[in-house]
Amino acid sequence: MKRKFPNTRLRRLRTNSPIRNLIRESTLSQNDLIQPIFLIEGNNKSQKIKSMPEITRMSIDLAVKEIRILKKLGLQGVALFPCIQNKFKDKTGSESFNPNGLMQRAIEKIKSTVKDIAIISDVALDPYTTHGQDGILGKNGEILNDETVEVLVKQALSHANCGVDIIAPSDMMDGRIKSIRKELEKNKFADTKILSYSAKYSSNYYGPFRDAVGSVKNLGKSNKDTYQMDYANSKDSMHEVEMDINEGADIVMVKPGMPYLDIVSKISEKYHVPIFIYQVSGEYAMIKAAAKNNWLDEKKVVIESLQCMKRSGANAIITYYAKDVLKWMK
Ligand code: PBG
């Protein structure tokens, strides 16, 4: 079809807001948002996170209160991340599958006290290891894939035992989805969903999160380049997604968000699975910092960022701004 001026005037459909609204291609609603929650031990305890203004670490009782508020605002899901006391950390992350651990108690408590909210639990070892890596280390400091997967499977099962809705492995070991799915089936957790961090890049945008879960010092100068993906690549992510679907993932995730929307768009064209995006801590911190200086209009920039994520093909977004956005939508 030939589009010729003046028969076609593209501005015609932009003349006023009802027309613009009627022809909108994507929507952003309260059904699209997931709020991350950082957990700590104790009662009635909350801690500020320096690099993430207005986000706190919370004891389980406060997390329950907060989730009740979020639920009332229309939130659909929370993603739980634990900040583990140093005395419980070791080289292999064995605290991660303690049936009475912080995460396990939190899942049980939230499940039994708040109705109709999806609980997503992080499955990875970095909050639990003395070295801050997501895997068990070999003699030369290399990450041992299969040994790590064995621990991840135990961790995932311990979350399923507490009634978690969605297990979200964020570690990037090979074959972990297959092993976790097998263990879930074996233990009759047919309905427990797996949200695989399939395209998780070795990103510099995770800095504030590592501060929040207390792995930043432990990790020191080392990085995660041997398991998280190289940000120069996109074919790799298609492989990861395809394998994770075949291994039993229900939903796949792309992370970080904004610089990686080409990846989301490619996945959404090729595969028929729901896609979640993680707007990560560094993205949050950047917008916050600019907003605090009055360099950007926080509300408008946040809505635009999330809307663009929906346009790229995402079904839902994990964002530290979920609560604010729900309030803005009211
Ligand atoms: C680690 C994990 C990370 C995030 C979620 N799970 C950090 C990392 O891989 O080092 C980052 C989330 C964020 O930056 O908001 N298993």
Side-chain angles (χ1 to χ4, degrees):
M1 183 170 64
K2 264 205 184 112
R3 295 184 180 277
K4 273 189 151 177
F5 182 82
N7 283 354
T8 300
R9 288 177 181 266
L10 289 168
R11 288 187 54 205
R12 205 179 279 137
L13 289 175
R14 298 175 198 144
T15 42
N16 59 44
S17 86
I19 299 296
R20 289 194 296 271
N21 288 339
L22 286 168
I23 64 156
R24 270 206 140 177
E25 294 172 27
S26 63
T27 54
L28 177 69
S29 83
Q30 60 181 31
N31 294 341
D32 303 322
L33 303 171
I34 297 159
Q35 176 79 48
I37 304 266
F38 295 114
L39 299 164
I40 47 172
E41 286 295 349
N43 247 309
N44 196 22
K45 245 174 110 182
S46 110
Q47 297 170 346
K48 291 196 162 129
I49 302 160
K50 211 175 145 221
S51 49
M52 302 183 73
E54 281 142 61
I55 301 292
T56 55
R57 303 184 193 92
M58 283 173 265
S59 51
I60 296 176
D61 55 325
L62 291 189
V64 167
K65 274 192 194 156
E66 178 68 6
I67 294 168
R68 283 214 174 98
I69 296 170
L70 290 165
K71 172 70 200 157
K72 281 210 183 95
L73 286 167
L75 191 82
Q76 305 300 322
V78 288
L80 305 180
F81 297 96
C83 181
I84 300 297
Q85 292 167 305
N86 276 327
K87 62 177 180 198
F88 292 127
K89 297 190 185 188
D90 61 19
K91 281 186 183 161
T92 59
S94 58
E95 174 66 14
S96 65
F97 55 87
N98 175 356
N100 270 316
L102 177 60
M103 269 292 255
Q104 288 79 0
R105 277 179 283 126
I107 295 167
E108 259 167 11
K109 188 77 194 167
I110 298 162
K111 245 356 278 176
S112 62
T113 51
V114 194
K115 266 213 187 102
D116 287 335
I117 191 109
I119 304 180
I120 303 172
S121 66
D122 189 58
V123 164
L125 301 187
D126 55 328
Y128 301 94
T129 53
T130 40
H131 44 73
Q133 293 284 0
D134 296 49
I136 295 171
L137 303 185
K139 280 204 189 77
N140 303 312
E142 77 279 21
I143 305 284
L144 302 174
N145 191 87
D146 302 4
E147 289 80 349
T148 300
V149 171
E150 279 176 32
V151 184
L152 295 172
V153 168
K154 290 186 198 165
Q155 186 184 14
L157 182 62
S158 79
H159 294 176
N161 277 328
C162 299
V164 80
D165 298 284
I166 305 179
I167 283 167
S170 69
D171 55 285
M172 288 300 279
M173 294 304 121
D174 286 328
R176 89 274 208 218
I177 301 300
K178 182 177 178 185
S179 300
I180 292 172
R181 178 57 79 205
K182 197 171 146 203
E183 187 73 1
L184 291 176
E185 286 292 327
K186 199 172 103 192
N187 289 278
K188 308 267 181 269
F189 289 113
D191 282 337
T192 307
K193 289 149 265 295
I194 300 179
L195 159 62
S196 177
Y197 286 68
S198 297
K200 174 166 179 179
Y201 284 87
S202 187
S203 169
N204 299 293
Y205 286 93
Y206 305 149
F209 174 95
R210 291 176 187 171
D211 185 14
V213 299
S215 70
V216 67
K217 272 205 203 99
N218 307 51
L219 195 60
K221 283 212 171 76
S222 50
N223 60 49
K224 303 190 177 184
D225 290 350
T226 69
Y227 46 106
Q228 298 180 353
M229 291 174 28
D230 181 348
Y231 51 69
N233 299 343
S234 80
K235 286 182 185 157
D236 222 6
S237 66
M238 304 304 269
H239 265 150
E240 288 282 2
V241 166
E242 189 162 324
M243 288 187 70
D244 286 354
I245 296 171
N246 289 333
E247 289 180 25
D250 303 288
I251 308 166
V252 297
M253 179 122 77
V254 175
K255 172 182 175 190
M258 203 142 79
Y260 296 85
L261 298 188
D262 58 321
I263 306 297
V264 179
S265 153
K266 279 186 192 161
I267 295 171
S268 118
E269 272 166 30
K270 190 154 176 203
Y271 300 105
H272 301 151
V273 281
I275 307 169
F276 287 6
I277 294 185
Y278 200 142
Q279 184 186 47
V280 300
S281 56
E283 296 176 74
Y284 174 83
M286 284 195 307
I287 300 176
K288 261 294 171 220
K292 289 214 179 291
N293 279 296
N294 286 322
W295 292 340
L296 284 176
D297 181 324
E298 183 174 32
K299 187 172 158 182
K300 288 183 178 162
V301 167
V302 170
I303 298 284
E304 179 181 337
S305 311
L306 302 179
Q307 183 75 61
C308 292
M309 290 177 188
K310 290 286 297 180
R311 186 201 64 221
S312 73
N315 297 80
I317 305 157
I318 302 185
T319 170
Y320 300 96
Y321 273 113
K323 186 181 186 181
D324 291 325
V325 174
L326 290 167
K327 284 192 198 156
W328 297 335
M329 281 175 174
K330 289 272 159 194

